[in-house]
């Protein structure tokens, strides 16, 4: 399992992030830029902020990312795909492990019992707050909740890989 990693819920205006050391949540937050800026400027801001300002500052060694998915099968919003592909390219260039998870996999990893039929945001918030009680009662933005859910999914999948070896 990766010891220190950053999970990202990518967005072109707001990206949630969380840093885990082993199974411990170390830090979380949201990186936000101006919605009216040109896309190329927003993309550059997000990539620089996530990679240089957060990933390096927290001395992470791997990435876990929610891979963007569109509402219809096979459709990924091009802006989100550009951000995800940019982060994957940075990881490859630095020879850092990069893990991408589909939104449905993330939802399944944190879904508490009895939440069938709930909307995804409610499932993620409820599940994350049950799994990480230190977040209860805090004003945690949805994007940061999503990033913690991505991290939890990564931890679950890493543990599954260890058990099946």
């Amino acid at each position: 399992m990766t010891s220190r990693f950053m999970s990202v819920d990518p967005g072109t205006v707001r990206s949630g992030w969380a840093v885990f050391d082993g199974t411990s949540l170390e830090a979380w937050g949201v990186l936000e830029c101006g919605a009216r800026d040109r896309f190329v400027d927003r993309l550059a801001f997000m990539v620089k902020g996530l990679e240089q300002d957060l990933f390096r500052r927290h001395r992470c060694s791997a990435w876990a990312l929610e891979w963007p998915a569109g509402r219809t099968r096979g459709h990924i919003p091009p802006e989100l795909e550009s951000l995800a592909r940019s982060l994957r390219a940075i990881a490859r260039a630095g020879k850092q492990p990069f893990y991408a998870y589909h939104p449905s996999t993330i939802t399944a990893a944190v879904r508490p019992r009895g939440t069938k039929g709930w909307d995804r945001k409610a499932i993620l918030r409820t599940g994350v707050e049950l799994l990480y009680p230190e977040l209860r009662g805090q004003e945690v933005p949805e994007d940061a909740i999503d990033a913690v859910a991505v991290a939890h999914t990564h931890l679950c999948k890493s543990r599954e890989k260890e058990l099946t070896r």
Side-chain angles (χ1 to χ4, degrees), residues 48-87:
K48 179 189 176 291
L50 290 169
E51 195 260 339
Q52 292 178 2
D53 299 340
L54 295 168
F55 189 85
R56 287 186 187 177
R57 183 179 66 192
H58 288 284
R59 292 186 217 114
C60 297
S61 59
W63 296 84
L65 184 85
E66 178 178 350
W67 197 259
R71 296 201 185 277
T72 60
R73 187 176 201 118
H75 172 73
I76 298 174
E79 296 86 7
L80 286 180
E81 187 175 13
S82 294
L83 177 58
R85 288 186 188 280
S86 297
L87 294 175

Side-chain angles (χ1 to χ4, degrees), residues 32-53:
E32 191 167 1
C33 63
R36 294 182 184 212
D37 294 342
R38 292 178 334 162
F39 171 69
V40 248
D41 297 333
R42 286 184 284 143
L43 178 64
F45 176 83
M46 286 295 177
V47 168
K48 179 189 176 291
L50 290 169
E51 195 260 339
Q52 292 178 2
D53 299 340

Side-chain angles (χ1 to χ4, degrees), residues 109-121:
V110 299
R111 179 186 293 275
R113 290 185 180 178
T115 57
K116 187 174 182 177
W118 288 21
D119 74 328
R120 184 172 191 265
K121 291 294 179 190

Side-chain angles (χ1 to χ4, degrees), residues 2 92 94 100 146 156-157 163 165:
T2 308
R92 283 184 178 162
D146 291 350
C156 290
K157 294 298 179 182
L163 292 173
R165 285 187 181 165

